[in-house]
Amino acid sequence: MPGPGGEQPRKTLTYQHTLTYGHYTEELSQFARKEAAKLLQERPSVSVTKPPDVQKECYTKCRGCLQRVKRYIIRKLGEDWIFLVLLGLVMALVSWSMDYASAKSLQAYRWMYQGVSHNVWLQYLAWVSYPLILILFAAIFCHLVSPQAIGSGIPELKVILRGVVLKEYLTLKAFVAKVIGLTASLGSGMPLGKEGPFVHIASICAVVLSKFMSVFCGVYQQAYYYTDVLTVGCAVGVGCCFGTPLGGVLFSIEVTSSYFAVRNYWRGFFAATFSAFIFRVLAVWNKDAVTITALFRTNFRMEFPFDLQELPAFAVIGICCGFLGAFFVYLNRQVVLGIRRNQTLSSFLSRYRLIYPAVITFCIATLTFPRGFGQFMAGELMPRESISVLFDNHTWTKHDMKTTDILGRSAAFIHPTVSVFVTLPLFFVMKFLMSVVATTMPIPCGAFMPVFVLGASFGRIVGELMAYLFPNGILFDGIVYKILPGGYAVIGAAALTGAVTHTVSTAVICFELTGQISHILPMLISVIMANVVAQNLQPSLYDSIIQTKRLPYLPDLSGCHVSKYNIFVEDIMVRDIRFISSHCTYRDLRNVLQSCTHKTLPLVESPDCMVLLGSIERSEIIALLERLLSRERRQRLASPPYKGQRPTEPPGKRDSFKYVDEEDIAGEEEEKKEPVEQCNGPISPSNPTDYSSSPPHPDSVFSRFRSTIQRIFCNTAEEDKDEAPSEVPEVEDTMTPEEIAVWEEQELGKVACFDSCLIDPSPFQMVERTSLHKTHTLFSLLGLSQAYITNGGKLRGVIALKEVEGLLCSSVTERLLCNWV
C-alpha cells in the first residue's frame, strides 16, 4: 500500500552474512585440540612405507587397542597435575632429608662439645674444629663439582626469569653440589639460611623433571613453558623450606618475578601446598612433631594479644627495621666490593680459596664459644633454637638465675652478672656483624634465616623494654593488658626480613611459621613501614647481589621523575648498526662477523633504503660460510677444469624461524645420505660448529636415559636407526694452498643466498617515539634481549638489554631527566 503522499514503502534490506569482528565461535583450547588431532591424523600419511606383512600386523584389533591404551596413558602422564605432584613430592623429601641430616650434625656437634666438658681447651678445639671442617668441605665440594652452586641462588634466578642464559646453572651437577654443600653448611651451626639456596634447588628439580616429562608431553619442550616451570619451582622451594605454602608462593612472586603470569598461580599453590603437607607429614612420621602444626609454634593469648596503645611501639619497630635492613644490605655489599677493590687481597683469596671461609668460620666460632665471650650472647644456641627461644611466652626481665628452670633453653640469655638488656643487645649486634660477613662466604648459603633471627632479637629487645616500663601491663577501659615480648619478636622478624628483601609476604610467612594470626595487623603495619624506609635507602639484598656480580638486569624505574614519559628511545638508541644486506656478498658477511660480536644481526633490503626484512642468528651465518668454503664442496666443485658451481635443482627451502627440535634436526641429518647442493653450496652432513653465545647441550647420561624412555613409549612405530654411520674415507686434496686461496676469494665474491638459513621475519621493533617507561616495561614484560628501532619499516637504530641497563644506571639518564623537569 502506498504511504501518505503516494510514497511507496521502503523495503527492509536483510544481509545474510554480517561481518562481526571480535566474535569467537569456539574456545581457543578446543580449536587447538582439533588442530592437533588433524595433525596427528595427517602424520601417518608421510610415514615410511612398511612391508605388507608388517602393515597387516599393525592394523589388527588387538594392536589398535593397545595403541589407544598407550596413547591414553601417555596423555595422562603428561598432564600438569602429575608434574606438580612429582615436583612437590621430590622437594619435600629433599627438604626433610636435609633438615634431618643437619639436625643430626648439630646433635653430634653438641655431643662433641659436652663430651669433653672436663677440659676447656678441648671444648674450644671441638667447638671450633667441627664447623671449620664442614664449611671447608662445602667450599671444596662446590668448587670441584659446580661453582654455580655457591651463594643464595635467588639473584641468579631473577636474571634467568628475565631471559638471560646462565651457563650450567640449572644442571644436575649444580643440584648435587647445592644439596650436599647446603647440608654441610646448615650442620655447621654458622649463621646461615637455607631458603635462598632451596629456591635454586627446587628450580633445578623443576627443570630436570620437565625434561623427563617431555617424553610424555611435548609442551614441556616449548620455550615459553620454561618460565612457567621455573616460577613453579621457586614457589615450591620457599613453600617446602619451612612448610609455608601461602607465604612461599607470595614471596616467590615478589622476589623472582617482575611480571607474574596468573596462569601459574594455581600451579604454584598446588605444588607448594602438596610439598609443605608432605614435609610436615614426614616430621610427624619421624616423631619430630605430634601432629601437622607450625614449625615455630607460639602460645600467645588470643583474646587480647595486644592493646591499641602498643601500636606506636610496633610502628617504631617497623621504622627501625627499615634502617637496619638498609644498613645490612649496605654492609654486605661493601664487604664484597672492599675485597674486590684491594687487588692484592683479591688475587690472594682467588689463589687460596679456602683461606677466606676458614678465617670467617674460625672467628665466628671463637666469638660464640659458650665458655668464653659467647656466654654473654647465648652463643650455645643454634639458629633454629634461637628463633624458638626468642618467640618465648615468658618475660625475661621478671626472672633471674633462681627461676631459670621454667625458662628451658631461654635461660641462655639470663646471666648471673649482667642484665637481659646487655645480653640481648650484644646478641643482636654480634649476630648482625657475623651474618653480614658469613653470607659472603663461597658456599651455598642464604640470608633469610639469619635476618629472621636478627629481627626477632630486635623485636624482643623492644618487647622486654616495654615490659620493663609497664610491669603491670597497660590499663585500658578498666582492663589490664599484659605485655607479650614474644609478640614483639614475631613482628620484628617479619619487619626486618621484609626490609632486607623488599617484600610484604614475610608477614604471611611469620604467620604460618608461628601459627598465630593474632598479630597479623600490627605485623603488616610494621612490614609496610619497614619497606617504605628501606626502599628509599638501598636496593633489596638480591638486587644488590645482582649489581655486585654485574649480572644483566634492568633496574626499577618507579623512583624516577614523571618526565621518564617524555624521554624517547631515539634519545638513547645506538645508531651505528652492523647489518646484513639481502644483496651482499659472502665477503661482506665475513667482514660483518669480524667487525662485531652480536648474536643476532638485522637483515635489510639494501644499504640505501634500509627496509628491515628480518634478523639472522650469528650461528646461521657462520654455518653458511662454513658450508661455502668446506673441503668437501671444494673437492667436488673445483676439480679441474673448474667451471664454477654445478647447476642443480634447488630443494625446498626451510621455513623461516619456525620452532625446530634439536633431536628432529639430528634425525633429519642422519637420514640424508648425500649432501644436497644449493646455490650457496652443499650442506655438510656433520653439524657445523656453533660459535654463538648460547651454551651447548652435550649428550649426558640423563639425555640418553630420556631418549631410551622416549623410544619405549613414543617411537615404537618407527624403525631404529643406526647410531654409528659408516665412515667415508677422506679424499686427498689435489689443490695447492695458492689455488685454495684463489678459489675461496672467487667464492667469497659471489652474492650470498640465504635460502638455507633460518630467518626471523618479525623481530621485535619499536618506533622512535617510544617512551623510556614503555621501553622498560616491554623489556621486562617480554624478556627481550634487544629491539630494533624503525620508522616506516626502515631500520634507524637498535637498543639492547645491556645498553638499557647501563643507561638507566648512568648519569646520562639522570641528566636527561633533569633537562625535562
Side-chain angles (χ1 to χ4, degrees):
M1 294 293 294
E7 296 180 357
Q8 296 292 332
R10 297 180 180 178
K11 295 182 179 180
T12 303
L13 300 179
T14 59
Y15 295 94
Q16 296 181 355
H17 302 282
T18 304
L19 298 178
T20 58
Y21 298 94
H23 176 69
Y24 298 93
T25 58
E26 60 180 345
E27 293 184 359
L28 183 61
S29 58
Q30 296 178 357
F31 174 77
R33 291 191 186 97
K34 292 180 180 179
E35 292 298 322
K38 291 180 181 179
L39 293 176
L40 289 176
Q41 292 176 0
E42 295 174 358
R43 182 176 297 178
S45 61
V46 296
S47 60
V48 182
T49 305
K50 297 182 179 181
D53 54 342
V54 179
Q55 291 181 359
K56 292 179 181 179
E57 183 182 356
C58 292
Y59 289 104
T60 58
K61 294 183 179 180
C62 182
R63 177 110 180 162
C65 181
L66 291 177
Q67 291 291 336
R68 286 192 297 271
V69 171
K70 189 185 74 169
R71 285 196 298 268
Y72 177 80
I73 294 175
I74 291 173
R75 185 172 67 253
K76 289 299 180 181
L77 288 177
E79 292 184 354
D80 274 354
W81 68 273
I82 293 183
F83 166 75
L84 299 176
V85 166
L86 291 177
L87 178 61
L89 180 62
V90 171
M91 291 313 303
L93 291 174
V94 173
S95 179
W96 179 81
S97 301
M98 291 176 58
D99 283 354
Y100 182 80
S102 60
K104 292 299 181 183
S105 176
L106 292 176
Q107 289 181 5
Y109 187 20
R110 193 178 299 278
W111 175 80
M112 285 180 58
Y113 169 75
Q114 295 177 352
V116 290
S117 57
H118 59 279
N119 192 318
V120 177
W121 294 106
L122 288 178
Q123 277 191 310
Y124 173 74
L125 182 62
W127 184 265
V128 172
S129 60
Y130 191 86
L132 191 62
I133 293 173
L134 289 179
I135 293 296
L136 292 180
F137 167 76
I140 295 174
F141 188 82
C142 292
H143 177 68
L144 295 178
V145 177
S146 178
Q148 290 80 8
I150 293 174
S152 171
I154 292 181
E156 289 80 5
L157 279 173
K158 290 186 69 173
V159 175
I160 292 175
L161 287 171
R162 175 59 190 74
V164 179
V165 177
L166 297 182
K167 187 177 180 181
E168 296 183 359
Y169 195 78
L170 299 174
T171 58
L172 281 175
K173 291 197 305 181
F175 178 85
V176 174
K178 199 85 171 184
V179 169
I180 296 178
L182 182 60
T183 305
S185 301
L186 296 176
S188 65
M190 291 290 104
L192 303 171
K194 64 173 281 192
E195 187 158 2
F198 217 75
V199 171
H200 184 196
I201 293 172
S203 301
I204 297 175
C205 185
V207 171
V208 174
L209 189 59
S210 67
K211 291 180 181 179
F212 175 77
M213 295 296 292
S214 63
V215 174
F216 309 102
C217 183
V219 70
Y220 295 97
Q221 294 177 333
Q222 303 296 328
Y224 71 88
Y225 203 77
Y226 186 75
T227 304
D228 298 350
V229 167
L230 285 180
T231 304
V232 174
C234 295
V236 173
V238 183
C240 68
C241 185
F242 300 126
T244 56
L246 183 62
V249 174
L250 298 178
F251 185 81
S252 66
I253 293 174
E254 286 187 281
V255 169
T256 59
S257 302
S258 300
Y259 292 90
F260 182 77
V262 183
R263 65 177 179 270
N264 298 324
Y265 207 50
W266 78 270
R267 293 189 180 100
F269 268 115
F270 180 82
T273 303
F274 183 79
S275 180
F277 174 76
I278 298 297
F279 176 70
R280 299 307 297 158
V281 166
L282 290 173
V284 176
W285 173 76
N286 196 43
K287 298 182 180 179
D288 294 334
V290 179
T291 183
I292 298 178
T293 182
L295 194 62
F296 302 109
R297 185 166 183 82
T298 56
N299 296 312
F300 304 145
R301 63 174 183 267
M302 297 296 296
E303 294 82 5
F304 302 101
F306 62 93
D307 186 66
L308 292 179
Q309 300 181 44
E310 298 180 65
L311 290 180
F314 297 148
V316 169
I317 291 177
I319 296 174
C320 294
C321 285
F323 286 103
L324 291 173
F327 187 57
F328 183 91
V329 175
Y330 173 78
L331 280 183
N332 184 273
R333 184 172 63 252
Q334 291 303 315
V335 169
V336 178
L337 294 179
I339 296 175
R340 285 186 179 178
R341 290 168 185 159
N342 193 333
Q343 297 295 332
T344 305
L345 181 61
S346 178
S347 60
F348 175 78
L349 293 179
S350 61
R351 191 180 303 111
Y352 304 100
R353 300 178 181 272
L354 301 181
I355 297 296
Y356 185 70
V359 171
I360 292 177
T361 305
F362 177 80
C363 294
I364 293 177
T366 302
L367 291 174
T368 58
F369 181 55
R371 298 185 65 176
F373 184 73
Q375 61 182 322
F376 301 104
M377 49 175 290
E380 64 185 42
L381 296 179
M382 299 303 161
R384 289 206 173 188
E385 293 178 346
S386 301
I387 296 177
S388 301
V389 167
L390 292 170
F391 289 167
D392 188 11
N393 245 6
H394 298 88
T395 302
W396 297 343
T397 54
K398 298 180 180 180
H399 295 273
D400 52 15
M401 293 300 298
K402 298 179 180 179
T403 59
T404 55
D405 296 337
I406 62 174
L407 294 179
R409 301 295 299 174
S410 302
F413 284 95
I414 308 298
H415 196 270
T417 58
V418 295
S419 172
V420 173
F421 294 110
V422 175
T423 57
L424 268 175
L426 188 61
F427 174 86
F428 173 76
V429 173
M430 297 305 298
K431 287 291 184 180
F432 191 94
L433 299 177
M434 292 175 186
S435 301
V436 167
V437 180
T439 51
T440 62
M441 291 191 295
I443 57 174
C445 61
F448 186 90
M449 183 62 79
V451 173
F452 195 83
V453 175
L454 291 174
S457 61
F458 180 78
R460 187 80 193 194
I461 293 172
V462 178
E464 292 291 343
L465 183 61
M466 289 288 294
Y468 179 77
L469 296 177
F470 302 95
N472 298 323
I474 298 177
L475 179 63
F476 179 74
D477 198 15
I479 302 175
V480 177
Y481 297 92
K482 295 291 184 180
I483 301 295
L484 293 177
Y488 286 79
V490 174
I491 293 174
L496 189 57
T497 49
V500 171
T501 59
H502 289 190
T503 59
V504 184
S505 57
T506 53
V508 183
I509 293 177
C510 281
F511 151 63
E512 291 184 282
L513 278 175
T514 58
Q516 295 283 342
I517 201 173
S518 56
H519 288 78
I520 189 67
L521 288 179
M523 197 184 303
L524 283 173
I525 293 174
S526 300
V527 170
I528 291 174
M529 297 190 71
N531 271 272
V532 170
V533 175
Q535 291 182 14
N536 289 314
L537 296 177
Q538 289 289 328
S540 68
L541 178 64
Y542 308 121
D543 291 339
S544 176
I545 296 175
I546 289 175
Q547 296 174 8
T548 304
K549 293 185 175 181
R550 298 185 180 92
L551 298 174
Y553 190 77
L554 284 179
D556 193 9
L557 272 179
S558 59
C560 296
H561 195 266
V562 71
S563 58
K564 61 189 175 183
Y565 298 97
N566 299 325
I567 298 177
F568 303 105
V569 72
E570 63 180 353
D571 300 326
I572 58 177
M573 70 179 182
V574 178
R575 302 179 184 273
D576 185 14
I577 315 169
R578 298 291 186 271
F579 61 89
I580 297 174
S581 174
S582 60
H583 303 293
C584 68
T585 62
Y586 291 104
R587 183 178 292 105
D588 297 334
L589 292 179
R590 187 180 65 176
N591 294 336
V592 170
L593 292 180
Q594 293 175 352
S595 61
C596 66
T597 58
H598 303 322
K599 184 180 178 181
T600 307
L601 294 169
L603 177 64
V604 300
E605 185 176 352
S606 65
D608 298 330
C609 66
M610 293 294 292
V611 175
L612 183 64
L613 302 179
S615 63
I616 307 179
E617 294 286 337
R618 185 184 185 91
S619 59
E620 292 287 331
I621 302 175
I622 293 175
L624 180 64
L625 293 176
E626 287 182 349
R627 290 194 297 267
L628 176 75
L629 304 178
S630 62
R631 179 180 178 182
E632 293 80 3
R633 182 174 181 272
R634 184 177 70 249
Q635 291 175 350
R636 184 164 53 255
L637 300 182
S639 57
Y642 175 66
K643 297 181 180 180
Q645 189 174 357
R646 302 183 197 175
T648 57
E649 281 299 321
K653 300 179 182 180
R654 295 157 65 182
D655 295 337
S656 297
F657 203 70
K658 68 176 182 178
Y659 176 76
V660 183
D661 193 357
E662 294 178 359
E663 297 180 358
D664 296 338
I665 294 177
E668 293 175 2
E669 291 178 353
E670 289 178 1
E671 290 177 357
K672 295 179 181 179
K673 300 299 181 181
E674 294 181 358
V676 182
E677 183 181 344
Q678 296 184 4
C679 55
N680 60 343
I683 300 178
S684 175
S686 59
N687 293 331
T689 305
D690 187 6
Y691 292 96
S692 63
S693 59
S694 60
H697 301 277
D699 191 14
S700 61
V701 177
F702 180 80
S703 62
R704 291 195 295 270
F705 173 75
R706 176 178 172 271
S707 62
T708 304
I709 296 298
Q710 190 169 7
R711 284 197 301 270
I712 294 174
F713 283 93
C714 306
N715 295 337
T716 57
E718 299 181 2
E719 294 181 354
D720 295 333
K721 301 175 183 178
D722 296 333
E723 297 182 358
S726 58
E727 297 182 359
V728 180
E730 295 185 0
V731 182
E732 295 184 1
D733 201 342
T734 58
M735 299 179 65
T736 62
E738 292 78 10
E739 292 175 344
I740 293 176
V742 172
W743 179 81
E744 290 182 351
E745 289 298 325
Q746 292 178 359
E747 295 298 316
L748 290 174
K750 296 180 180 180
V751 178
C753 181
F754 302 99
D755 290 343
S756 63
C757 295
L758 295 176
I759 301 175
D760 182 4
S762 57
F764 192 83
Q765 305 173 35
M766 292 188 296
V767 296
E768 295 175 312
R769 302 296 291 176
T770 304
S771 66
L772 177 62
H773 178 269
K774 191 173 183 179
T775 303
H776 180 275
T777 303
L778 289 173
F779 269 77
S780 301
L781 181 61
L782 302 178
L784 300 176
S785 58
Q786 68 176 12
Y788 296 112
I789 314 302
T790 58
N791 185 6
K794 296 182 179 181
L795 184 62
R796 298 300 185 190
V798 65
I799 183 168
L801 172 64
K802 186 180 295 185
E803 295 156 358
V804 175
E805 178 191 7
L807 289 169
L808 289 175
C809 296
S810 64
S811 59
V812 176
T813 306
E814 296 178 1
R815 188 163 57 252
L816 289 173
L817 288 171
C818 295
N819 293 335
W820 285 104
V821 175

